[in-house]
Each structure stands twice: as structure tokens, then as C-alpha cells.
Amino acid sequence: MNIRYVSSEQDQLTNRILSDVAVRAAREGIRLAGTVQPVGRDTPQQKCEIVLNLLPDGPIRSISMDLGPGATGCRLDAGALEEAVLVVQDRLAGAQALVVNKFGKQEAAGRGLVEVIGRACGAGLPVLVGVSPEWREAFLAFAGGTAQPLAADADRVMDWLRAACRAQVA
């Protein structure tokens, strides 16, 4: 099993790294399946607007509930997340690697993208997961001690992805 994770205390750094890696991988012809949470001018920047770019080529989908004006909390739309998961599952067969933007509360509870991660590992695909410090312990337990950290650096992550995809072919 070739599973790596990126984790950072810096707000949005993991999202920026995984999004950058997805763009670079596409340019290099590396076929990815999965999700990234884009960070940039063209994506919503409200704290409670969660959007996912479904790899390799979209669409970008909102997975948060609109709680209306004046809401002070966020709410994940679990149904929208599960719809995104189905798209990722369908795309896994044509992928060289899987990228998952976040191992979070849903995944820690055995939902979300957990099954897709398991399928990718079972198929021998390299897997890259974003993990916030808050969920690191749950992710490491899920991975059963097989996940290895990567530096929060897009160049290093891209180097690993290239090598992992080459090794998979060999």
C-alpha cells in the first residue's frame, strides 16, 4: 500500500498544495481521480462554503448546506459529499493515483471517501490524502500504520507522485 499524507498547521496550505499538485499532474499527463478543495480567486472564500473540484476535470461542487444569512456555523451536506464520492468511484478505474483533499469527521466515522481510499489501495494505486492536525490520529489509525507523511511542499509532493506512478507501471 502506497499511501502518503500532507498535514499543516497553516490555514489552507494543504488545500493549496493538493490543488497545485493536481494541476501540475494534469499538465504532465498523470491521470488522477479524487478531490481537491480549490483555493483562489474563482472559488468561494466564505468560511462555510465547502467546494470540491472532482478530479481530473471537474466539476466543482458545493458540499455545504446554505444555512442562510446570519448563520454562525457550518454544515456539511452529507448527501452532496456522497454524490461526489460516487463520481470519484466511477473515475478510479482510469486513474494512476488518488488524491483526497481531506480526511475529516466523515472519514473518521467510516463514511465519506473511506471506501474509495480502500479501493485505491487495494488496486495498488498511490494515494495522497490531506489531513488536518485535528484528524491526524484518526487517519493514522485508519491507515493501520502504513501511511507516511510528506512535507507540506508542492515540489516534494509532486516528486513523490511522479515516482509512485512510475513505480506502479514498472
Side-chain angles (χ1 to χ4, degrees), residues 28-43:
E28 294 183 23
I30 298 172
R31 295 179 319 277
L32 299 178
T35 59
V36 293
Q37 192 168 350
V39 179
R41 317 186 282 282
D42 300 334
T43 55

Side-chain angles (χ1 to χ4, degrees), residues 121-134:
C121 289
L125 295 177
V127 175
L128 175 61
V129 181
V131 181
S132 70
E134 162 185 20

